[in-house]
Each structure stands twice: as structure tokens, then as C-alpha cells.
Amino acid sequence: MSNQKEYNVAIVGATGAVGQKMLEMLDLVGFPIKELTPLASKRSAGQTIDFRGEKVVIKEAKPEAFEGIEIALFSAGGSISKELAHEAVKRGAVVIDNTSAFRMDPDVPLVVPEVNKEDIQKHKGIIANPNCSTIQMVAALEPIRGKFGLNRVIVSTYQSVSGSGNAAVEELKDQSRAMLDGKEAEANILPVKSEEKHFPIAFNALPQIDVFEENGYTFEEMKMINETKKIMHTPELQVAATCVRLPFFYSHAESVYVEVNEGNVSVEDLQNVLREAPGIVLEDDIENQVYPTPLSAENKTDVFVGRIRKDLDVPNGFHLWIVSDNLLKGASYNSVQIAQAIAENNK
Amino acid sequence: MSNQKEYNVAIVGATGAVGQKMLEMLDLVGFPIKELTPLASKRSAGQTIDFRGEKVVIKEAKPEAFEGIEIALFSAGGSISKELAHEAVKRGAVVIDNTSAFRMDPDVPLVVPEVNKEDIQKHKGIIANPNCSTIQMVAALEPIRGKFGLNRVIVSTYQSVSGSGNAAVEELKDQSRAMLDGKEAEANILPVKSEEKHFPIAFNALPQIDVFEENGYTFEEMKMINETKKIMHTPELQVAATCVRLPFFYSHAESVYVEVNEGNVSVEDLQNVLREAPGIVLEDDIENQVYPTPLSAENKTDVFVGRIRKDLDVPNGFHLWIVSDNLLKGASYNSVQIAQAIAENNK
């Protein structure tokens, strides 16, 4: 370790739900850091965060803050990334961006290391971290695609409120308390802060994540559809998504239907492939009621898969239940894995 | 109304979540009742319930209790129905059974009045009320099938705890309070009371409703698959289901993918059919964030449909979001509609 190169790392959005987890994950994997620079809005500048037992002062996220930075992890919203990512690149940083700002840009690799680590090499300064619900799905589907081929995916999601940030976590808590006390629940954030109408998420389900597109799909649904094809390099893959926000704090779950290309594939075949797959934990033993849930996946960096079963009508059709912590593998941990891959490439 | 025949009606399971709603629904529709006989376990016998402004004493559910009963609404669990339904029929009652005891019996009509009211005529004493998650789905899909044909259904459900009874409702409340206070959540009922393991439902999602079958599907999933085909008289229809229990109190929601037989069907075509369909309310105006949710459907007898959109790859594929109160249209209201149809046939 002593000869290993150490990096000047910036975290943009260090006070946010994902930013906080990025600090944890950098520490967890023992990422070689020379100096850490937490960046946030002017409002948070001057406050401190704890990192590896030391207090580090938060600076304002502005172009000059990237002088000397080698790796910049962005997670402060798309508009901040659009404003500052190129400024960071201009100053010599490699940007790992966790917003949707550059994901579909043909010049920007969109990377889940277990799936397409090699795409990192093609970067021109920016590497995009995919959408949380996309990451866990492609991590579980790529091993299946690699072995048996894949021609169709239909997913319905069960997504936690932390995907909308810390304020949404607080909103769920406040609304839950109010409703349990028989009071009216106040809704100001979900389903989408910028939208006109807000609905309670406590003891409810909202079939809207992000704004609606012209085609009737939400932006979240289109992210899952388009990003999946880009990451797996399968433009012809049929992908459909319905995204639903639910009253739990962490982890997203997904009910996924897939059709593989090969015939004569069994549930055991899929289980065997997933058992060996990197970053995947098979939790599929119905006789003992073993299957993943949002609570059981919380605070873990893996993607958990269970309830694998054959479609009763379509011979090459299968159903799966995929769960992962949306702030870890779905965001911060995947970003840190990309940083690790960059460090490895530099060795 | 004065010349209308009035009925001696028994409610078996009068103290349960569905039984209580059956009383409400009988009153709501103004069902012609000569005498109401609430039946329950020995433990509840002697207590009273309120009906149409009067206190009515609960009697013990046993064979002799059905003497003189003309219509018996059962909702006290499958074993009680198996024990007592034939006893009620023997004594001259028509049984409307809300358990899974007889649903797949070829001699027992399985009825959603908007879909297959005519099947009621074939009864031999027992008419079965379908599973809650099945009812709302077939109510919304039958108008589509009738107009455009239907060859495939893939559904992922979002089901409330009241489907597991009043004790599950209390469990969700208790667990929610405990977890908000940073305490451990005690789990004794969900996912399935009789199973060995129980998991918290508060701030979680459980991909198990009812016990597992040999084929890897849960009994709830097989109910949706088999009952849908029976009610719609479409044994060849391809149906797949994944059923998930979620932390809300009332209403089930469903993300449903369908393939219709006809080509050139548009979203507007589906909307127009559903707008005119009995028992269906179209809530589908994404520009104004109009779509149904479990909370918005609560305490309403209709089935609400929104988020209708075309699959982006399969020309005859569509996605829908279907929500209804599981204790009303999903159980008590549908049973009372069957009773109304019987009364109509007797006119």
C-alpha cells in the first residue's frame, strides 16, 4: 500500500444523502486518498464533516475548488453537474457523476463495474454512474445475458424514499407519525419536489418517480429503459419499466420478468449463474422463506436476488425479485467502485 | 321497494375486517334485509354489532345457526367455509363465499358481476367471491378483452396489510411506531401467520403473500393466475403474477402489462373503453398528475385505472396501474353485488 498512488478526491454534494454515503464507502474500501475535499452549496461551506477520524471543512462548490483535484465524485443534482463537471475536467480531474446529466451522452461511459468496467477506458474526463434502479437490475441480469442471452425485460419497481434525498426521508417519518396519531399528513416533496402536486407517501404508493415524458413514461422509467441498453451494449433489448415510490427508507426492490434467448434453461441454471456472479448474493430458498427484502438489504453493498421462477406459459420466461440498497450499490458504492477501477488502471 | 322480497341474511365472520365491511356495504346499497344474523366464533358470540341503527347480537357460527337463512355471506377463513358452507346450503341458503375454499371447484361459479354475472345462474348453492387482487384486475381487463381480445397478462402487485385481517393492520401500526421511535419491530403475523418465520412489514416489502406452492409461486400468485382464467372464461390466456405485501393499510395496487389481440390499438382506445366500463373510474391525466393511489382509492367501491401507456417495443402491448380498496370491491362490495344479482334474479 505504501507505494500506491494516493489521490486528491473531491465529493460534490457532500452533505446530501448519497454524498454522506460516498464518504462512508471511500473509507470502507480503503480508497487511497491524499486529500479529501468535500464540496457543497455556499450555505453549507465552512461546516465540517468527519472522515477517517478527522474533521474536514466543507468548501463551496465552484470552478476554482477543483484546482488540484484528481477524482471528483458528483452527486448534487443534474444542474450542478452540468455547471461544474466540465470545470473539474478542465482542471485535470476525472469526474464520476451520479446524476442524469451526462448518462446518455455518447462520449460518456455509463458504468456498472461488474457489467462494463472496460468502458471506463474510453472516458474523456467524465464517467457517469447509472440510475439506482438501473444499477441493481443490470448487475443481476448481465450474468444471465452473458450465459443464456436476453431479449426481453419487464420491470415493476418498489423504490424507497431516500432516492429523493434526505428531505424525503424526513417527510416519510413526519407523515407516518402524523397519520398514526390520526392527523393529516402534510406533503411537500414527493412524488417530485418541482411538480405542482404533492401526495402523501406514508402508508401509500405513488406511481410517479420524476417528471412525465411526452410518451407517457416517467423520466425514471425512461432512465431504466435507456440506461440498461447502454450499459449492457444491447440496443435491441426490449425493456419496459413501471416505477413506483413506496413508504420505506432505504433499498429498492424490483419484480423483473425476463425472456432469455436459449431454450431449456432451468431455475437452477439461473441460480447457479447468479451464485457465481460478482456483487450478487442469491437469497432464494422458499422452503425456508429465504428471499431479500428492503430491510434485509439495507446497509449492504451487494445486490440480492430471490424468488426466481419459471413463467408458466413462456418456456424461456423467468421472474426474479432483485433488491439492493439504493444509496450504496445504487449510488455511492458503484461510484467508488468506478474510482477504484480508475486507480487500478493507473497502476 | 315495499313489494320487494326481503331476505334473511347471515354474515359469517361478522367481527373480521371483511365482515365489518360487508355490513357497511349491505347498508350502503340498501340491500333488502328481513333479518340480519351476524355469526362469529364462540368467543365473540353474545357481543353486539351495530346495523342500521340497531344493536344485533352475534351468534355462534354452527350448522343450526343457518336455519331459515336465505343468503349467507362467508368471510371467516377457508376452514370455516369448508366446515359450514354445505351446512348452510343444506338448510336452504345460497352461500356467497369470500374464501379460497371453493373458488376453483368446477361446480362453483366464481363471480365478478361486471365480468360474468350470468355465471351466478349456474350455482348449486355456493357462489365464490374471487381473491381481492384478482377482482380489481379482471374488472379492469374484461372491458379491454371484450373489445380488443387479450392474450397475455403479467402483473406485479402492491398489496395492503388489511388483506391479512385486522391483526395485520394493528401489527403495521405497532411496528411503525416502534421503528419511528428507534425500537425493534416485533413481527408475529406477516407474511403468513401459520409460517415459521415472520418479518417486519413496516417500512419494508415482503415478496410472499400466502404459502409457497411446489412450482415456486405463492398461493396468492396462483389464485391470481387461475381465478383470472376461470372468471373470464379464458383458459388459454397467459397470466403471470408476482405478489408483494407493502406497508399500507387499505387498497391494493397493480402494475399490469397486457398484450391485446388486435393491432393498431391506441392508449386513447383503451381509455375510451375503460371510461365507459361499469365499476371502473379512469384516473389517467399525467399532465395534471392524475393517477390513483392506495390512499385515494380507500373507502371507495370502484376500481381506478391510470398510467395507461403503450409498450415501447411490442405494438399490441400496454401497461396499466390498477388500484382498488381490497376490503370493498376486493371483498365485501363484490360479495354484496353478487347478493344483489341473486335478489334481481328472484324478482
Side-chain angles (χ1 to χ4, degrees), chain A residues 31-99:
Chain A
F31 193 79
I33 294 179
K34 197 189 301 170
E35 193 182 358
L36 178 82
T37 306
L39 300 173
S41 65
K42 204 171 179 176
R43 200 162 37 91
S44 300
Q47 297 175 14
T48 60
I49 53 120
D50 292 310
F51 184 70
R52 292 183 176 166
E54 285 180 36
K55 292 216 176 296
V56 187
V57 177
I58 298 170
K59 291 187 190 161
E60 187 187 344
K62 54 184 178 184
E64 311 84 73
F66 295 98
E67 297 290 349
I69 299 296
E70 296 167 283
I71 294 177
L73 298 159
F74 273 68
S75 191
S79 58
I80 303 287
S81 291
K82 279 178 192 155
E83 193 188 320
L84 292 176
H86 290 292
E87 297 290 342
V89 173
K90 217 192 287 175
R91 287 166 176 82
V94 177
V95 167
I96 301 167
D97 183 36
N98 188 41
T99 76

Side-chain angles (χ1 to χ4, degrees), chain A residues 152 197 217 257 288 310, chain B residues 152 197 217 257 288 310:
Chain A
R152 183 151 209 211
K197 292 185 195 165
Y217 287 72
Y257 170 74
N288 292 299
K310 230 178 150 76
Chain B
R152 182 150 210 211
K197 292 185 195 165
Y217 287 72
Y257 170 73
N288 293 299
K310 232 178 148 78

Side-chain angles (χ1 to χ4, degrees), chain B residues 154-324:
Chain B
I154 300 174
V155 55
S156 295
T157 71
Y158 302 70
Q159 297 184 231
S160 71
V161 296
S162 57
S164 269
N166 285 331
V169 169
E170 292 309 313
E171 184 169 78
L172 172 56
K173 283 184 193 168
D174 292 345
Q175 290 178 351
S176 299
R177 282 202 188 91
M179 289 174 73
L180 288 168
D181 291 343
K183 293 179 196 151
E184 192 95 355
E186 211 184 297
N188 300 308
I189 293 167
L190 292 172
V192 181
K193 203 179 170 198
S194 62
E195 287 268 59
E196 198 167 323
K197 292 185 195 165
H198 299 101
F199 307 110
I201 183 64
F203 307 114
N204 204 11
L206 300 178
Q208 181 188 2
I209 300 184
D210 219 319
V211 294
F212 286 103
E213 306 270 289
E214 288 250 328
N215 64 2
Y217 287 72
T218 60
F219 188 41
E220 181 83 0
E221 288 159 357
M222 291 313 299
K223 284 187 226 171
M224 288 198 79
I225 292 167
N226 293 325
E227 294 180 17
T228 295
K229 297 179 191 188
K230 177 168 176 177
I231 299 163
M232 295 173 107
H233 298 284
T234 52
E236 73 299 331
L237 181 65
Q238 299 188 347
V239 187
T242 299
C243 291
V244 182
R245 187 75 73 193
L246 289 165
F248 35 87
F249 295 109
Y250 304 103
S251 307
H252 294 342
E254 296 171 346
S255 167
V256 183
Y257 170 73
V258 299
E259 284 172 15
V260 300
N261 289 337
E262 266 185 42
N264 284 322
V265 178
S266 68
V267 167
E268 291 68 33
D269 291 334
L270 288 200
Q271 288 173 326
N272 288 337
V273 162
L274 289 170
R275 202 176 276 119
E276 302 299 320
I280 302 292
V281 175
L282 185 73
E283 289 190 339
D284 192 12
D285 173 11
I286 54 172
E287 271 185 46
N288 293 299
Q289 287 181 272
V290 173
Y291 41 70
T293 70
L295 276 184
S296 74
E298 200 175 308
N299 257 320
K300 294 173 187 162
T301 57
D302 292 306
V303 173
F304 300 87
V305 185
R307 298 281 342 258
I308 303 175
R309 59 209 194 282
K310 232 178 148 78
D311 192 83
L312 300 178
D313 299 298
V314 177
N316 58 334
F318 293 88
H319 301 268
L320 303 89
W321 174 250
I322 303 170
V323 187
S324 191

